[in-house]
């Protein structure tokens, strides 16, 4: 068994407004540095952290998608922070961004960093509101995959974005990691594929950890811990 300390960074994305890409990247790097100093093994941020006009995500009346240049600026700064905290796995939420030159489209992508490098990435499949966001940004939304498996410290993890949790992984993994805008009803779907172990960081100021099964009055149920702090720490044995 291995013990993992997980830091969830869950600011209320709607309250971040339309701060500059540099300021938004600085906010994330500050949170990553704090997690590294606290000895976290895994850092997870919320969906849509990197968007323009994030205060209008519910009213859907603005352009949201980061340009390729602004996304690269933020990703470079996160990679530098990852190099500083080289043993911490970092998933800084998602980038709603334009990708491609000859045929640009919009992706909602979560990148996974380790040791200053991109270890993996996953682009959201279930478009939900993303089609509407993309239309206002002037491009089509491109659906990615329903999840992405990767290895960290000899354990298997499965990364998904929000409603994509309704899709099962190709094979069971040791733990599920979800970056989302809202916890929603999908929070508990397909938990059996991960031994009822899942961490969720959302964009409304809350997080949750399912750390296995506990015996209820009649049936065994997932054992959940929930938190409404902007920064929350969890520990789990895998």
């Amino acid at each position: 068994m291995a013990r993992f300390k997980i830091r969830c960074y869950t600011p209320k994305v709607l309250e971040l407004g339309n701060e500059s890409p540099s300021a938004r990247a600085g906010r994330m790097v500050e949170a990553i540095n704090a997690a590294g100093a606290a000895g976290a093994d895994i850092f997870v941020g919320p969906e849509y952290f990197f968007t323009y006009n994030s205060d209008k995500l519910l009213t859907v009346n603005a352009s949201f998608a980061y340009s390729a240049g602004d996304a690269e600026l933020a990703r470079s700064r996160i990679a530098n922070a990852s190099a500083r905290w080289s043993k911490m796995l970092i998933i800084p939420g998602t980038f709603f961004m334009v990708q491609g030159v000859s045929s640009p489209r919009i992706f909602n992508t979560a990148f996974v960093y380790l040791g200053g490098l991109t270890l993996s990435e996953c682009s959201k499949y279930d478009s939900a509101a993303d089609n509407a966001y993309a239309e206002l940004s002037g491009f089509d939304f491109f659906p990615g995959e329903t999840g992405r498996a990767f290895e960290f410290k000899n354990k298997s993890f499965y990364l998904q974005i929000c409603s994509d949790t309704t899709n099962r992984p190709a094979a069971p993994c040791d733990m599920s990691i979800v970056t989302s805008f809202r916890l929603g009803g999908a929070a508990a779907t397909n938990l059996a594929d991960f031994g009822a172990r899942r961490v969720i960081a959302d964009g409304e100021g809350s997080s949750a950890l399912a750390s296995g099964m506990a015996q209820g009055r009649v049936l065994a149920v997932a054992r959940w811990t929930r938190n409404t702090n902007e920064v929350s720490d969890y520990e789990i044995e895998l």
Side-chain angles (χ1 to χ4, degrees):
M1 300 287 284
R3 179 173 289 273
F4 291 83
K5 182 176 181 180
I6 304 172
R7 166 70 59 95
C8 288
Y9 172 54
T10 54
K12 294 180 179 179
V13 173
L14 292 173
E15 297 179 0
L16 298 182
N18 190 26
E19 64 186 352
S20 70
S22 179
R24 188 66 59 93
R27 185 187 294 272
M28 178 56 70
V29 167
E30 182 178 344
I32 291 170
N33 287 338
D41 298 296
I42 298 172
F43 173 94
V44 189
E47 184 183 16
Y48 299 128
F49 185 85
F50 293 100
T51 63
Y52 302 138
N53 300 302
S54 56
D55 56 327
K56 296 181 174 62
L57 284 166
L58 293 185
T59 56
V60 194
N61 59 355
S63 178
F64 298 105
Y66 259 36
S67 68
D70 284 341
E72 182 57 34
L73 167 71
R75 293 193 59 208
S76 176
R77 294 181 64 178
I78 292 167
N80 288 339
S82 174
R84 177 182 180 186
W85 307 102
S86 60
K87 296 182 180 180
M88 180 170 64
L89 185 83
I90 298 171
I91 303 171
T94 74
F95 286 78
F96 193 73
M97 62 182 187
V98 178
Q99 294 191 73
V101 177
S102 60
S103 181
R105 288 176 288 189
I106 289 175
F107 293 72
N108 186 359
T109 303
F111 296 97
V112 182
Y113 295 87
L114 183 64
L117 302 174
T118 302
L119 176 68
S120 187
E121 63 181 80
C122 178
S123 292
K124 190 177 182 180
Y125 175 78
D126 187 343
S127 63
D130 295 280
N131 278 318
Y133 294 159
E135 183 177 352
L136 286 167
S137 300
F139 299 97
D140 292 329
F141 174 73
F142 186 83
E145 62 253 296
T146 56
R148 179 67 67 89
F150 62 89
E151 299 287 323
F152 175 58
K153 293 188 175 180
N154 298 316
K155 298 294 180 179
S156 59
F157 293 85
Y158 196 68
L159 174 62
Q160 291 180 293
I161 302 171
C162 201
S163 52
D164 284 345
T165 54
T166 57
N167 299 282
R168 296 184 64 183
C173 292
D174 292 312
M175 186 171 185
S176 161
I177 297 177
V178 179
T179 173
S180 70
F181 183 52
R182 293 175 166 175
L183 289 180
T189 58
N190 301 317
L191 275 177
D193 292 312
F194 313 102
R197 294 183 290 259
R198 169 175 288 159
V199 65
I200 306 172
D202 82 12
E204 292 193 319
S206 65
S207 59
L209 176 78
S211 56
M213 301 297 289
Q215 184 61 47
R217 289 187 176 183
V218 179
L219 300 173
V221 296
R223 181 173 56 246
W224 284 96
T225 302
R226 304 178 189 275
N227 211 310
T228 56
N229 296 329
E230 182 173 283
V231 173
S232 303
D233 289 324
Y234 302 94
E235 290 193 10
I236 188 169
E237 287 191 352
L238 300 178

